[in-house]
Amino acid sequence: MENKKLPEDLRGIHIHFVGIKGTGMAALVEILFHNGAVITGSDVEERFYTDEIIEKLGLKALPFSEKNITDQIQYVVYSSAYKLDKNPDLIEAVKRGIPCLLYTEALGSYSSRSYSCGICGVHGKTSTTGLTGTILKELDLPGQVLAGSIINSFGNTCTYTSPLIKDQKKSEKNIFVAETCEYQRHFMSFCPQKIILTSVESDHQDYYPTYQDIRDAFVDYICKLPQGGSLIYCADDKGAVETASLAAKKRPDICLIPYGQKAILGNPEALSAKKCCNLAFGKVEKEKNNFSVKIISREENGEKEELSADFFLKVPGRHEVLDAAAALCLSWELLIQYGKNPCDYIEKIRTGLSNFSGGKRRSEIVGRAFNKNGKSVVFIDDYGHHPTAIKTTLSGYREFYRGRKIIVDFMSHTYSRTQSLLEEFASSFEGSDQIILHKIYSSARENAADFSINGRTLFERTKEHFENVSYFEEILDAKDYALSLLNQELDSEKYPDGYLFVTMGAGDNWKLGKALLEEMYD
């Protein structure tokens, strides 16, 4: 039987990564490299932002070839995008009998040796992981964090490793926080002690045809918690509350900790929780999201207030504040777990939250410029590719950048998601003033001919909800039009601060924002 676990001591172990440029793969490379492993890897020639991550480690992606698999390689980790019987590296590894682990299996194996915390949910996984890691950077806890994208406050990498990390042989005492993905039940390989659940709703329709299918996957993941393990879930998200309730019925021993505005002991959304993290939104002032948090626990003699304090974020959106509350709650519980008084760390937690500035393609400010009339233009790129994410993110921009005219360029990703959620997509842009749409950015796992929709279908449906909607099949075909929009005269009373141009989606329409920024700089 093939060994699906990495060795306890990784020092000197040669691991070859097939698909090394994948975001999760590059992050795991960082983690294992810092634990002493010898790393090689292969991928396509096209350059990605993850090339910089692996190059910082002195590594370079090789072209796919059976020659990459040498006698020195002891393990192979591969992306789910590649198949054991198709990729030349993997075919050779199988022929030689080298243990081959999917990325999720390798991540799960690594998580089993630590005090691991999995961050999951349809939305907000990356931001919540990044926020948790940015807080942990300020705390004297031995932690490692793996996010699903580059996090600015990590130093433009996907991972953070505390200088307090102990020797590899004692790593079960270390904290490992990782973003864990629901697609194809990948998170079932992870070994969590605590879980954050941000949200649950229908998504990945190619794998989860119904809401119940994806909800039940989250329930099964939660049930992987050990006896007395903690579930920190969003009380403001209907799907998360339902999922937590179903999991609690199967596993009444799980410690429930709701967070959000509805996280009040005794509220139906708080279920049978003995502790909650209540959130109150404050005013958005000077491009800062102000909020307050109370952590309340139920004691034999009544309720005890563990925390009551004000905090702020420098990133837009109430959804980000919710993610911050989740990250704060997990950090609070980890301090308690490691025998520390979290009340002594309030200022450090506040500093961590204030240091968070987002991540790659997560409300990422890619540049600023001035148009021909001298008006400011801020360019943002965001990965939001689900109607709920689009709606909440644009709403956050409207509140945060209230003095700017918002133009959003959106490229829908996957035919199955667009077809299943067509009405939701079409009505999700209410936070914007102008909308530009394109063809659907397809997935390698689906055939466009199998679907009855295309990019124009979404365009026609969106026009039923909004007036200012335009369509360009190809991304860069919209460049001149978008440039003309950004150079128009503005109503100075309505939009005193200028423009906000947002490229949004899981496709490659970020190229339009980059092209416009370069044009305006010239």
Side-chain angles (χ1 to χ4, degrees), residues 17-278:
F17 282 75
V18 177
I20 194 172
K21 295 184 183 184
T23 303
M25 293 280 279
L28 186 59
V29 163
E30 284 189 280
I31 293 285
L32 301 189
F33 181 88
H34 290 306
N35 279 278
V38 176
I39 305 291
T40 55
S42 56
D43 213 314
V44 296
E45 290 185 10
E46 183 182 353
R47 189 167 180 85
F48 298 92
Y49 69 85
T50 50
D51 277 283
E52 295 181 18
I53 295 174
I54 60 178
E55 286 168 3
K56 283 180 183 178
L57 305 176
L59 306 173
K60 184 175 177 62
L62 302 167
F64 293 127
S65 171
E66 69 277 2
K67 295 179 181 178
N68 295 331
I69 308 302
T70 66
D71 293 338
Q72 285 73 44
I73 292 174
Q74 296 159 277
Y75 292 86
V76 171
V77 175
Y78 64 102
S79 162
S80 60
Y82 302 101
K83 306 302 178 187
L84 291 170
D85 59 346
K86 302 288 186 184
N87 180 274
D89 299 50
L90 294 173
I91 291 171
E92 181 64 21
V94 170
K95 187 187 297 182
R96 289 172 175 251
I98 298 172
C100 296
L101 289 78
L102 268 170
Y103 160 75
T104 49
E105 292 170 338
L107 181 67
S109 174
Y110 188 79
S111 71
S112 66
R113 71 190 64 197
S114 305
Y115 191 92
S116 293
C117 306
I119 297 179
C120 69
V122 172
H123 312 293
K125 294 186 290 291
T126 301
S127 291
T128 305
T129 308
L131 281 156
T132 303
T134 309
I135 294 173
L136 289 180
K137 284 185 71 175
E138 303 299 317
L139 310 182
D140 53 347
L141 292 173
Q144 283 189 305
V145 182
L146 184 153
S149 182
I150 285 178
I151 302 297
N152 300 334
S153 48
F154 288 2
N156 292 319
T157 70
C158 301
T159 65
Y160 161 68
T161 298
S162 166
L164 298 176
I165 284 290
K166 302 294 191 296
D167 182 86
Q168 177 69 15
K169 292 180 180 178
K170 299 179 181 178
S171 60
E172 67 275 1
K173 295 181 181 178
N174 297 331
I175 296 165
F176 181 49
V177 178
E179 178 176 338
T180 56
C181 181
E182 70 277 6
Y183 184 61
Q184 294 184 342
R185 291 179 167 248
H186 284 158
F187 49 25
M188 293 302 290
S189 297
F190 200 75
C191 302
Q193 302 289 322
K194 298 183 188 299
I195 288 175
I196 287 179
L197 175 63
T198 62
S199 53
V200 179
E201 63 176 301
S202 183
D203 197 14
H204 304 297
Q205 287 78 10
D206 60 319
Y207 188 79
Y208 299 113
T210 69
Y211 161 73
Q212 287 77 15
D213 292 328
I214 195 169
R215 179 203 64 194
D216 291 348
F218 281 105
V219 170
D220 290 345
Y221 179 46
I222 293 166
C223 288
K224 287 201 70 179
L225 286 167
Q227 184 78 17
S230 300
L231 172 64
I232 300 168
Y233 70 94
C234 184
D236 296 355
D237 184 86
K238 182 179 177 182
V241 173
E242 181 183 1
T243 302
S245 177
L246 290 171
K249 288 176 182 176
K250 288 187 173 185
R251 289 283 309 281
D253 62 287
I254 290 174
C255 176
L256 299 177
I257 308 176
Y259 67 91
Q261 287 182 291
K262 297 179 180 179
I264 300 170
L265 294 177
N267 268 18
E269 291 82 1
L271 306 176
S272 57
K274 294 184 178 179
K275 181 181 286 192
C276 69
C277 179
N278 179 250

